[in-house]
Amino acid sequence: MAAGLLSVFVWLLPLLLSTVFFYSRRGPFLDPLCSYLSWNCANQPLVISGLTTTPTDPVLYGPVLQQYLHKFAVNEDLGGSLAVFVDGEPVIDVFAGFKDLRHTIIYDNRTLNQVYSSGKVLEGILIARLVDKGLLDYEEKISTYWPEFAQNGKENVRLKDLMMHQAGVQYLDDDKGDLSWALLRDRTRWSAHLARQKHHFFSGSEPSDKQQLPQRAYHAVTRGWYLDEIVRRVDPQGRDLDQLARDELMAAYPDVELYYGALPNAADWDDRLTPMHDYPVLRLLGRLFIPHALQTHAYLGTPGLAPLHKISSRLFQTKSQTFKSLALPMARRARDFRTKDAHHVPSTSFSLKTNAHSLARLMSMMANQGASYNSSEPNLISQATYERATHHTVELEDHVTLDKHPISHGGWIRTRNFFPDLEGVLVQGWGGAGGSLTVWLEELKMGFCYVTNAMGVVDFTLGDGRAKKLLVLAVQARKQQLGL
Ligand SMILES: *[C@@H]1O[C@H](CO)[C@@H](O)[C@H](O)[C@H]1NC(C)=O
Ligand SMILES: *[C@@H]1O[C@H](CO)[C@@H](O)[C@H](O)[C@H]1NC(C)=O
């Protein structure tokens, strides 16, 4: 018996070794048969469309584009878009790759992509616009706009606490056991469910005298739900954030597409929206458990590979704040946030479907302190509101992400330490699960957005290694342009 097993093993050994070899050489986002066995490989050339060179200076931003295309060549990216705006004009504005792992469906300029928490950047802009109109105030208590919110310890929570993830409603207690996507469709019950939540800072292991200290815990999923309730109460027409994005932003900037809820046509879900592709589980386990020195080994691994963020293992601890805030009873896994059911009602903290062009265009106006570059188009927000929203930040340890980012009242990161290679450049914005990154750089008058359908590993919590490398190269090009 043992000898039989041994001979099977000896026969299988070459297959096993070649599988491991191909697998380790060929990047994560590829058809599994091709990846393991070198079989079923489509060998389609990469398709890229849009603005690939800058009319004024074709060479300057070339390295950014080369780096972007390199990630497709090594199957670390699959399909997506990248847009960089400088002084209000695009210098890179491309769509590239495929919607499927087999490389048969081209990712083109009609493709929409879910960007998860990158949608929070837009959430912040829409709120700032209401502040601009005097309908909201960051310092005001939420209960001023929504009296029922003043329950269970939440009486004094202000709008800015919610924007900065300090409102204490980072997860929802499912007290009646009916938390589901269907509940979201029942406005009255859903609103009551949100209103009666406890202020979750920080029973359990925290000493009680700490309970009143300001605490931060990423409201990964819930922030948008709470904001939407507030917004519907202050907008004179009772619109939600999704409707405001369409009525105001899509109308003012005709090339911009922003959908938190349903897409314009029923067929768009299948025709235009790209499926998302998860990082393969086997590789993820490898990244978690193989010693990092081996993973970055010059011959056996990939030099320069960033270690996984410590949030990665917390995601498996069901009692942690991280798990409670990122997983819902009806959505335990990332893929559960991209079903039609999950998008029926707009959930602005994760449901935005857009492209890099649209977000980078808005980011370029943020880099201009909210002002439009085109005199026939309105400003995004006034300079006064821009100052108020961005010039106050609070740095606190986040109990969900385990990061310590400075976050502004407007709800965006504002830091000069975003990424070591950025050397002190001021970065503002946010990123999303899977790797999307949406930021503006005021001093460089630059808007940047990277969007992908290839869900990367969590090596950073705002953007991943792919996006950050592109940002670094874009900043280097811009500095060179400015002679800095
Ligand atoms: C999309 O690409 C097509 C063909 O490549 C082009 O004709 C069209 O103008 C592009 N649309 C946008 C919005 O860039
Ligand atoms: C300015 O905005 C208007 C209205 O959206 C548009 O028609 C026009 O092409 C824009 N001009 C430039 C130079 O982008």
Side-chain angles (χ1 to χ4, degrees), residues 126-348:
L126 292 165
I127 295 299
R129 288 169 61 87
L130 294 167
V131 170
D132 234 10
K133 292 179 182 157
L135 294 171
L136 288 175
D137 186 331
Y138 292 119
E139 301 296 329
E140 196 57 68
K141 289 180 186 176
I142 290 174
S143 59
T144 305
Y145 310 115
W146 178 13
E148 297 82 3
F149 181 84
Q151 294 184 43
N152 277 326
K154 305 196 301 304
E155 291 77 4
N156 294 321
V157 174
R158 297 154 300 181
L159 178 61
K160 70 177 182 187
D161 299 321
L162 183 54
M163 297 316 292
M164 296 190 293
H165 304 279
Q166 292 163 221
V169 284
Q170 65 272 30
Y171 59 90
L172 302 182
D173 276 334
D174 190 14
D175 50 351
K176 296 188 177 166
D178 61 354
L179 189 50
S180 65
W181 297 126
L183 181 63
L184 270 73
R185 298 189 196 191
D186 184 335
R187 281 265 166 100
T188 315
R189 275 173 62 218
W190 176 233
S191 171
H193 189 97
L194 293 174
R196 72 168 178 272
Q197 291 298 313
K198 282 203 294 281
H199 193 232
H200 294 303
F201 287 148
F202 229 31
S203 44
S205 57
E206 292 292 301
S208 57
D209 62 344
K210 279 198 179 169
Q211 276 189 15
Q212 293 313 311
L213 287 178
Q215 299 266 14
R216 177 172 293 162
Y218 188 34
H219 292 37
V221 178
T222 54
R223 192 178 82 168
W225 288 335
Y226 280 93
L227 287 174
D228 233 21
E229 289 291 323
I230 296 166
V231 166
R232 280 198 272 118
R233 284 167 173 77
V234 303
D235 179 69
Q237 298 169 46
R239 291 171 296 181
D240 61 13
L241 287 163
D242 179 49
Q243 202 60 48
L244 283 175
R246 292 171 196 239
D247 289 358
E248 301 196 342
L249 301 183
M250 284 180 59
Y253 314 113
D255 53 325
V256 160
E257 288 198 276
L258 307 159
Y259 309 108
Y260 281 122
L263 299 175
N265 304 302
D268 290 342
W269 182 273
D270 295 316
D271 291 351
R272 298 192 60 194
L273 189 65
T274 176
M276 300 293 294
H277 300 277
D278 286 316
Y279 197 82
V281 173
L282 202 58
R283 269 175 200 270
L284 180 63
L285 293 175
R287 294 285 295 268
L288 274 171
F289 297 114
I290 295 173
H292 191 64
L294 197 60
Q295 292 187 44
T296 53
H297 189 274
Y299 300 112
L300 302 173
T302 312
L305 197 67
L308 292 194
H309 192 276
K310 48 195 171 188
I311 196 176
S312 304
S313 52
R314 288 284 175 101
L315 286 169
F316 296 98
Q317 299 167 18
T318 55
K319 293 225 160 56
S320 68
Q321 287 281 320
T322 307
F323 184 87
K324 283 202 230 178
S325 303
L326 295 174
L328 305 175
M330 67 282 203
R332 287 290 183 223
R333 301 154 305 177
R335 75 171 74 115
D336 303 329
F337 289 94
R338 45 188 198 244
T339 61
K340 263 189 183 167
D341 245 3
H343 288 252
H344 191 90
V345 173
S347 292
T348 57

Side-chain angles (χ1 to χ4, degrees), residues 49 95 109-110:
S49 62
F95 294 79
N109 66 4
R110 288 185 72 249

Side-chain angles (χ1 to χ4, degrees), residues 6 15 25 34 54 59 63 72 112 120 132 186 190 192 219 255 281 285 293 326 372 395 399 429 437 439 447:
L6 187 67
L15 181 66
R25 293 286 126 192
C34 175
T54 321
V59 279
F72 288 91
L112 294 167
K120 291 193 179 83
D132 234 10
D186 184 335
W190 176 233
H219 292 37
D255 53 325
V281 173
L285 293 175
L326 295 174
S372 166
E395 189 175 304
H399 293 271
L437 183 65
V439 293

